[in-house]
Amino acid sequence: MEARDIHTPVMLERCLDLLGPALQHEGAVYVDATLGMGGHSEALLDRFPRARLIGLDRDLDALRIAGERLARFGDRVTLVHTVYDGIAEAVASTGATKADAILFDLGVSSLQLDEADRGFAYAKDAPLDMRMDQSAGTTAADILATYGEGDLRRIFERYGEEKLAGRYARAIIEARRTEPIERSGRLVDILQDATPAALKAAGHPAKRVFQALRVEVNAELAALERAIPAALGLLPVGGRIVVLSYQSLEDRLVKRELAAAAASTAPAGLPVELPEHAPRFKLLVRGAELASDEERAVNPRATPVRLRAAERLRENA
């Protein structure tokens, strides 16, 4: 099965519209910081024939699939195996000094969700891996086997915004005393049993716990907190960034970083804003933009998306 058969890029036309003005000139550099299976990048390379791509992903399977999909573009494509907080080093490694347009499509990819043995989806029984880069790192099963009750509660609260974090942490500690928790099906059963009957209709009890484990396994928020400022630093005047977020923790972090970049730094009470205090960026959309009703109807993975975008107005003082 080809990548284009199993992956529908989210808000594709909107991303192309927003990034396009920065990609009209010869040799324009586009960085896809979360390449996945290359859907956004393929469309962009087709639409803007003078642009070249630097595609980043921590998932070796994704890089292989995207590489096959994008092979027809030849030397316009450079792929780099890295987490997105390595964006500056990845761009430098290609000989480029700036990136005219940058896209982040955050969260778990279609490839990772659809490959049952990766353990990302609570609806499919599989080994509890959840590593986006399967060549290194700690698995979700490792976390469930080694974290204490307090640490489990902390990540469920912080990364899953789970109201029953304490209850679920205690249930996991109790269950692992008899048998290691190594498969998603067993973890789902533990969470189901620990959920009060009155709350079982309020959504699947595993959803937020699985999100929290995935974020912890892949250190996603820490990487994102480093990646957005690094990406903004690569943009020249007129350069643009688009970020697609799928959960509130990601979106709040992106909102904060872009708002700070688009704010004046003039001291309070200064009668005239000096040029060095003027905003370095402008926001390209009001608030967070959602996918259309039509797109959400045909592509359910677009339902939670929040799009934010910005353009550099001036260099740093």
Side-chain angles (χ1 to χ4, degrees):
M1 183 178 290
E2 294 190 8
R4 61 181 54 84
D5 296 326
I6 59 175
H7 173 55
T8 304
V10 172
M11 297 187 76
L12 176 59
E13 284 300 321
R14 187 64 173 131
C15 290
L16 296 179
D17 289 345
L18 287 165
L19 295 173
L23 294 171
Q24 304 291 344
H25 62 279
E26 192 66 42
V29 175
Y30 162 61
V31 177
D32 191 331
T34 50
L35 181 65
M37 291 182 285
H40 286 99
S41 288
E42 181 181 42
L44 186 139
L45 290 168
D46 274 329
R47 183 79 56 90
F48 305 106
R50 293 191 284 181
R52 66 184 182 98
L53 164 71
I54 303 172
L56 320 182
D57 210 292
R58 67 171 83 187
D59 189 326
L60 290 168
D61 285 344
L63 287 173
R64 175 184 54 78
I65 292 170
E68 294 169 358
R69 181 177 194 165
L70 302 174
R72 64 188 175 91
F73 297 106
D75 60 7
R76 292 175 63 200
V77 173
T78 304
L79 305 185
V80 183
H81 180 221
T82 186
V83 183
Y84 41 63
D85 61 348
I87 185 170
E89 295 79 4
V91 169
S93 74
T94 72
T97 58
K98 293 287 185 181
D100 298 286
I102 300 173
L103 174 68
F104 285 84
D105 186 8
L106 300 172
V108 63
S109 75
S110 297
L111 170 66
Q112 291 154 351
L113 283 171
D114 292 337
E115 291 289 327
D117 63 358
R118 303 290 292 271
F120 287 97
Y122 54 81
K124 303 171 183 175
D125 184 42
L128 281 165
D129 190 320
M130 296 196 190
R131 290 173 300 168
M132 292 178 176
D133 179 356
Q134 290 190 296
S135 68
T138 300
T139 68
D142 294 332
I143 288 172
L144 293 171
T146 60
Y147 277 31
E149 181 180 327
D151 285 332
L152 289 173
R153 177 175 183 157
R154 172 184 57 81
I155 66 170
F156 297 162
E157 287 177 340
R158 182 178 300 176
Y159 301 147
E161 300 180 292
E162 175 53 67
K163 293 181 174 63
L164 298 178
R167 179 187 287 262
Y168 289 155
R170 288 191 297 276
I172 287 166
I173 296 295
E174 184 64 31
R176 79 186 188 192
R177 291 194 178 109
T178 57
E179 184 184 350
I181 305 168
E182 297 177 338
R183 297 188 66 85
S184 56
R186 180 155 188 254
L187 177 57
V188 168
D189 288 343
I190 293 165
L191 299 173
Q192 290 273 26
D193 291 344
T195 303
L199 298 179
K200 286 187 176 179
H204 200 293
K207 180 178 180 180
R208 289 179 290 274
V209 169
F210 271 59
Q211 173 182 296
L213 287 170
R214 190 200 82 217
V215 170
E216 178 74 1
V217 165
N218 297 290
E220 290 176 48
L221 290 176
L224 184 62
E225 199 159 21
R226 295 186 293 268
I228 299 300
L232 294 176
L234 289 169
L235 293 171
V237 173
R240 292 181 165 212
I241 183 171
V242 171
V243 185
L244 303 173
S245 303
Y246 296 83
Q247 44 114 326
S248 58
L249 297 171
E250 293 171 342
D251 183 54
R252 284 201 295 268
L253 192 157
V254 173
K255 176 183 178 181
R256 184 187 74 213
E257 294 294 337
L258 295 188
S264 169
T265 59
L270 201 67
V272 178
E273 182 181 69
L274 300 175
E276 61 265 31
H277 294 146
R280 295 170 294 130
F281 287 81
K282 70 173 179 180
L283 303 180
L284 296 174
V285 299
R286 185 185 295 274
E289 201 167 289
L290 310 180
S292 66
D293 292 341
E294 293 77 13
E295 178 172 1
R296 283 181 280 176
V298 298
N299 184 12
R301 286 178 186 164
T303 299
V305 74
R306 301 290 184 272
L307 179 150
R308 296 183 187 272
E311 178 183 0
R312 181 179 281 278
L313 298 176
R314 66 174 183 86
E315 295 294 347
N316 295 339

